[in-house]
Amino acid sequence: MKFFIDTANLAQIKEAQELGVLDGVTTNPSLMAKEGITGHDNILKHYVDICNIVEGDVSAEVISTDFEGMVREGEALAELHEQIVVKLPMIKDGIKACKYFSEKGIRTNVTLVFSPGQALLAAKAGATYVSPFIGRLDDISTDGLNLIAEIRHIYDNYAFDTQILAASVRHTMHVIDCAKLGADVMTGPLSSIEGLLKHPLTDSGLAKFLEDYQKGN
């Protein structure tokens, strides 16, 4: 399972990279705004800064909602850096753009996916990644993890190459559950990754080891 971090915060990206398990980064306009990154040129520069920190894929999202605009933006984003994956919305023109980019050899991430049917269309259009938002489904009392299971079943039926990128991951158990269900990638906050480190028995065991060492040294 690949670990992506869902942020535009360079310090958090560096911290995750230093942990040694980071495979990539996902961003969106909301995350950019949260970090105060505004203005076209500043946003593009920030994407390059992220690519210079990590070794894996970096999803950069288009703003346009029409086919021509997505193609124009996506091609410009792809030219920024070889690690850039063009992030497209799960709408009609987004699927058209996904097909266009897949035929051009440009990698894509179809985002805001909330149903198996949407995921099926994205795979048919040649998406590199599909991003089902499990946390947002949980927010409206719908089982987000069940969506991961349904997409996995469909993709396995037809041997689609599209990778399931479990998005809107909120906590560590989301990561564990997605791993059990066979998601190819998870993307979430740094806390959801670092939470995997924690167990009270590890802490108490280490404390005991150190205590015993100090007694004899």
Side-chain angles (χ1 to χ4, degrees), residues 118-195:
Q118 291 177 326
L120 178 57
L121 284 174
K124 288 282 290 179
T128 310
Y129 299 101
V130 61
S131 291
F133 276 43
I134 61 175
R136 295 195 189 187
L137 285 171
D138 288 353
D139 290 344
I140 60 168
S141 301
T142 302
D143 187 355
L145 291 170
N146 185 60
L147 176 58
I148 300 295
E150 289 180 321
I151 297 172
R152 180 77 279 158
H153 183 73
I154 291 170
Y155 282 12
D156 288 349
N157 277 350
Y158 299 102
F160 284 122
D161 292 329
T162 301
Q163 297 180 55
I164 302 171
L165 195 164
S168 189
V169 164
R170 300 285 173 77
H171 49 72
T172 300
M173 281 312 300
H174 268 162
V175 179
I176 297 298
D177 289 334
C178 286
K180 289 178 180 178
L181 292 169
D184 300 289
V185 191
M186 63 71 57
T187 188
L190 180 61
S191 60
S192 69
I193 299 173
E194 290 186 333

Side-chain angles (χ1 to χ4, degrees), residues 7-16 35 46 49-51 53:
T7 186
N9 184 290
L10 296 182
Q12 291 183 7
I13 294 170
K14 288 177 182 177
E15 189 171 350
E35 299 303 320
H46 202 72
D49 289 342
I50 293 173
C51 289
I53 295 172

